[in-house]
Amino acid sequence: MRFDERFLDEIKSRLRPSDVIGKTVKLRKQGREYVGLSPFTKEKTPSFYVNDDKGQFFDFSSGKTGDLITFLQETQRLSFTEAVEVLAAEAGVPLPAVDPRAVEVEKKRQGLSDWLELAAQWFEAELRRPSGRDARAYLEKRGLPETEWARFRLGFSPPGRTALKDYLVTKGARPAELVEAGLLIAPEEGGSPYDRFRDRIIFPIADQRGRVVSFGGRAMDPQARAKYLNGPETSIFHKGHNLYGLHEARKILAAAPAGEQPPLVVVEGYMDVIACLRAGVPAVAPMGTALGEDQMEILWRHHPEPTLSFDGDRAGRQAAARTMDRALPLLKPGKSFKFAIVEGGKDPDEVLREQGPVALKQQLSETTAFADALFIRERDLEPLDTPERRAGFKARLRQAANAIADKDLQQAYRDALLEKYDALFAAARAERPRDQRPGEGRRGPWNGQKGGKPWIEPSTPQGKAAAKRLAHALEPVVAALAQYAVQDPAVLDDHLEEAFTAGGFGNPELAKLTKEIIRLRLEAEHLDTGALQRHLASCGFSALLTDIDRAAATSGAPILKDDVSLDARRSQWSRGFAALARVAALDDAIGAAKGNLRGRSDMAALERLKGERDALKRAIRTGTIWTEDGS
């Protein structure tokens, strides 16, 4: 369901954020804000702020911020629609009427859902009847006792060709409806539809709310053509939009103590999911397909860094590689994956049966970061015994980093991967006799300087500081915006959320400084400029403030001139800050557009975005951003 801005504003106007958030976070009044311990991380000193006037929360320990909808999404693992529905009910605002056609579609979907739910109940009952004797024995053999069957709603479909069909028809179902729900198969050559699942253990597939949307079946006959069979795509079930076990996994995540974040593990099969959930580890699985982009977004909604645990065989490695390639363009700060492989080529189900839940938890906690796993994959692709192969390895690392749409993360990955590359071959060179190391002579490492010594030794603290300073030189206009925010912190009041999430005016070096100013601004009714500067200096920002002053002095920015009125300076500051925010938004849009080029119109749209961004960057660089028309 889509909600317009007026509807959302009506809900927010009726709810005080401190009242809603205060039900789960203990808050106390402090100045203009309410403050409490972070619900996202463990901490002893409160750094979580709620501002009723702005309808926002700010969490300095995790870097998260947003409105009430965001808060419910983050803390209760709800989708946007679910969060809005919860708040609408609390505010007493009726949900908007929907299109009559949408009502008809929803009614039809509900009818199919009802038949799926009735089928699930019938499968569950069949498991306990005489026809399910072998299925019960199989589950017991797999270490899954009867006491656990109801939790996962396991069932059995008997061998009969129309057993389920006959039962549901007696309840009023029409065969065409059951075909549409994925329960029956309609023969292509014509004839009467028959049961899709026959002589199989049944695993109901539920959506995030626990409603049955399809089924998976494990064949009892070892000669069956398909060991596992999943339901087809239907109007209410899309394999790429669902994850098996998510409803149960959400329960475990939601029950975690405040500040604790259990792992969210992605495994390959139904029994592996069940094994993890039984061990207290929230886990899900895609249904017979590689993990898709929509499924990744669902995972990130519930966990910033899910753990991928694929089997150690060839198929498992290929699945991991495909997932890496699909994930790379989508990675962002706070959105990544880790990798874990259980020992001895076993899967989680085997580990639980043979070694118990403690061992399974331990093995799933031993993870490899995404960047490390990516490096290992490319390293092991071929022998690196020739210059050509080593060069190819380096090119693959660069290509992988370039696939990341987020520019800051792309650069961070490139730096990290090439650093690992250099370390790998530096270790190999160190094992050789000194006079056989390539690029080195008797006078010392070759570095392009006379006498074989660099002008600044990069390994010294002075060299590192100099390199870092050069790498993060501040643009004058950015420095001017930062300097004015220190001089007049009230200018941030109308831009708190954007400044909090913007990474320090678009420059990572300014991120911590910006958040410290915002934190003090939230705490104090009046923030004296001198006191703020002294506090920032005591926090270790003296050198950065000096750099800001030096760069800002070359900007010619009117916001720093004494003969410009306060209102004019604040207006110009807001214009400059809006330009930086627009550049960041355009960078995101360009990254997304690059991954969805399908024709000339898409290319033209991409070029328009680039043109607007580049024009803004020129205006920022040249200082023309301060004028009304940017000229």
Side-chain angles (χ1 to χ4, degrees):
M1 180 180 291
R2 295 177 64 89
F3 305 104
D4 62 34
E5 289 301 319
R6 286 186 299 175
F7 174 74
L8 297 177
D9 289 342
E10 176 66 18
I11 292 176
K12 293 174 185 178
S13 70
R14 297 194 184 193
L15 298 172
R16 281 163 43 97
S18 59
D19 291 338
V20 177
I21 295 174
K23 294 178 181 179
T24 54
V25 179
K26 187 176 181 180
L27 300 173
R28 60 179 172 81
K29 194 79 165 69
Q30 180 173 303
R32 301 178 303 168
E33 325 296 327
Y34 291 85
V35 63
L37 295 175
S38 169
F40 307 111
T41 63
K42 280 186 174 180
E43 62 176 5
K44 295 181 179 179
T45 303
S47 68
F48 179 80
Y49 294 80
V50 179
N51 185 308
D52 281 340
D53 293 335
K54 296 190 175 296
Q56 294 173 295
F57 70 87
F58 301 86
D59 184 33
F60 288 86
S61 64
S62 67
K64 295 180 179 180
T65 183
D67 57 13
L68 279 175
I69 297 172
T70 308
F71 183 80
L72 291 187
Q73 286 181 283
E74 292 283 355
T75 58
Q76 297 186 25
R77 319 288 179 178
L78 301 179
S79 67
F80 178 84
T81 299
E82 291 169 334
V84 172
E85 290 174 351
V86 169
L87 292 172
E90 187 162 345
V93 178
L95 293 173
V98 294
D99 188 300
R101 289 173 297 180
V103 172
E104 188 61 32
V105 170
E106 183 59 31
K107 182 178 179 182
K108 184 177 181 181
R109 284 168 54 88
Q110 185 58 53
L112 299 182
S113 294
D114 291 343
W115 295 127
L116 288 164
E117 173 59 31
L118 197 57
Q121 296 173 14
W122 185 78
F123 287 136
E124 287 184 89
E126 286 297 310
L127 179 61
R128 289 163 174 79
R129 293 190 175 116
S131 62
R133 180 181 58 197
D134 291 343
R136 295 194 298 272
Y138 172 83
L139 292 173
E140 294 279 2
K141 182 181 177 182
R142 292 290 298 264
L144 193 56
E146 184 176 356
T147 53
E148 298 280 3
W149 298 348
R151 176 184 177 186
F152 303 105
R153 303 199 65 183
L154 300 183
F156 176 68
S157 59
R161 188 174 174 85
T162 61
L164 174 64
K165 173 186 172 182
D166 294 342
Y167 171 77
L168 294 178
V169 167
T170 64
K171 295 295 183 179
R174 291 179 289 116
E177 289 180 302
L178 303 180
V179 171
E180 190 172 353
L183 294 171
L184 303 185
I185 296 175
E188 293 182 4
E189 66 277 7
S192 180
Y194 56 91
D195 291 356
R196 178 177 298 276
F197 300 100
R198 303 181 303 282
D199 195 22
R200 290 178 180 270
I201 293 173
I202 297 296
F203 300 86
I205 300 168
D207 63 12
Q208 295 189 48
R209 298 189 187 184
R211 298 172 300 189
V212 177
V213 293
S214 188
F215 299 95
R218 201 266 185 203
M220 293 301 299
D221 181 0
Q223 304 301 317
R225 187 166 53 183
K227 182 178 178 181
Y228 280 94
L229 178 67
N230 295 305
E233 294 276 324
T234 69
S235 60
I236 60 175
F237 174 62
H238 304 283
K239 292 180 183 179
H241 297 171
N242 287 270
L243 291 160
Y244 177 74
L246 183 58
H247 180 62
E248 284 293 314
R250 287 177 66 182
K251 291 180 183 178
I252 298 176
L253 290 168
E260 290 188 14
Q261 190 169 54
L264 176 57
V265 182
V266 182
V267 293
E268 290 195 56
Y270 298 123
M271 292 298 290
D272 292 332
V273 170
I274 290 173
C276 290
L277 293 172
R278 291 179 63 206
V281 177
V284 297
M287 283 142 291
T289 58
L291 199 63
E293 294 179 6
D294 289 339
Q295 291 169 321
M296 291 179 190
E297 292 295 343
I298 292 171
L299 288 167
W300 283 326
R301 190 185 303 156
H302 294 84
H303 197 286
E305 203 171 15
T307 299
L308 305 179
S309 181
F310 296 106
D311 294 345
D313 57 14
R314 181 182 178 187
R317 291 193 300 272
Q318 289 175 340
R322 287 195 302 272
T323 300
M324 279 186 186
D325 291 333
R326 285 188 175 181
L328 273 169
L330 307 177
L331 297 182
K332 290 182 179 179
K335 287 186 176 183
S336 189
F337 290 103
K338 295 183 286 188
F339 292 83
I341 297 178
V342 294
E343 297 173 359
K346 299 181 183 298
D347 55 38
D349 178 46
E350 292 173 310
V351 173
L352 179 67
R353 280 186 280 127
E354 297 174 8
Q355 302 175 43
V358 175
L360 178 57
K361 284 186 176 181
Q362 175 61 32
Q363 292 187 30
L364 291 174
S365 69
E366 296 172 357
T367 59
T368 302
F370 193 102
D372 294 334
L374 178 62
F375 182 85
I376 292 168
R377 183 189 80 172
E378 298 301 334
R379 182 197 66 190
D380 295 347
L381 195 62
E382 62 178 349
L384 302 176
D385 52 353
T386 67
E388 293 83 1
R389 287 172 173 170
R390 290 193 289 273
F393 173 33
K394 194 170 189 177
R396 292 196 302 274
L397 294 178
R398 283 201 181 97
Q399 185 178 7
N402 290 342
I404 300 173
D406 185 283
K407 295 303 179 185
D408 291 335
L409 188 60
Q410 180 187 113
Q411 184 61 52
Y413 258 68
R414 188 181 297 114
D415 293 344
L417 293 172
L418 294 182
E419 184 178 330
K420 291 177 184 294
Y421 176 92
D422 291 339
L424 174 66
F425 293 107
R429 286 194 298 271
E431 295 175 359
R432 305 178 196 169
R434 187 172 184 83
D435 59 359
Q436 294 180 16
R437 299 179 200 171
E440 293 188 14
R442 296 182 184 277
R443 296 173 63 187
W446 169 252
N447 49 56
Q449 304 293 340
K450 292 182 179 180
K453 292 186 178 182
W455 295 111
I456 299 178
E457 194 68 47
S459 60
T460 66
Q462 297 90 340
K464 289 182 178 179
K468 185 175 181 180
R469 187 66 49 83
L470 288 172
H472 296 92
L474 295 171
E475 287 191 20
V477 170
V478 172
L481 288 166
Q483 186 185 61
Y484 188 78
V486 173
Q487 294 177 358
D488 181 16
V491 77
L492 286 167
D493 285 1
D494 291 331
H495 307 277
L496 286 177
E497 183 173 7
E498 300 98 309
F500 190 83
T501 58
F505 303 103
N507 188 307
E509 283 296 288
L510 303 181
K512 290 183 179 180
L513 174 73
T514 308
K515 287 188 177 180
E516 187 61 21
I517 297 172
I518 293 173
R519 187 182 69 79
L520 290 172
R521 184 65 188 160
L522 288 171
E523 285 186 351
E525 290 282 357
H526 303 287
L527 188 56
D528 175 73
T529 302
L532 171 60
Q533 291 177 325
R534 288 191 295 274
H535 174 81
L536 293 175
S538 71
C539 293
F541 292 113
S542 294
L544 183 56
L545 289 171
T546 300
D547 286 350
I548 290 171
D549 291 345
R550 185 181 298 120
T554 68
S555 69
I559 58 175
L560 302 180
K561 295 179 179 179
D562 294 335
D563 58 350
V564 178
S565 70
L566 178 63
D567 288 344
R569 279 184 283 173
R570 287 182 172 178
S571 174
Q572 289 164 339
W573 187 94
S574 294
R575 188 182 305 124
F577 181 80
L580 289 180
R582 179 60 180 163
V583 168
L586 287 168
D587 279 334
D588 289 342
I590 290 168
K594 285 181 178 178
N596 293 281
L597 295 176
R598 295 185 176 86
R600 289 185 179 179
S601 60
D602 290 337
M603 182 60 73
L606 175 61
E607 291 304 319
R608 285 195 296 271
L609 291 173
K610 285 183 176 179
E612 182 185 352
R613 180 198 61 185
D614 294 344
L616 268 177
K617 283 186 173 181
R618 282 194 301 274
I620 292 170
R621 188 171 61 253
T622 60
T624 57
I625 197 66
W626 305 117
T627 61
E628 287 290 346
D629 59 0
S631 59

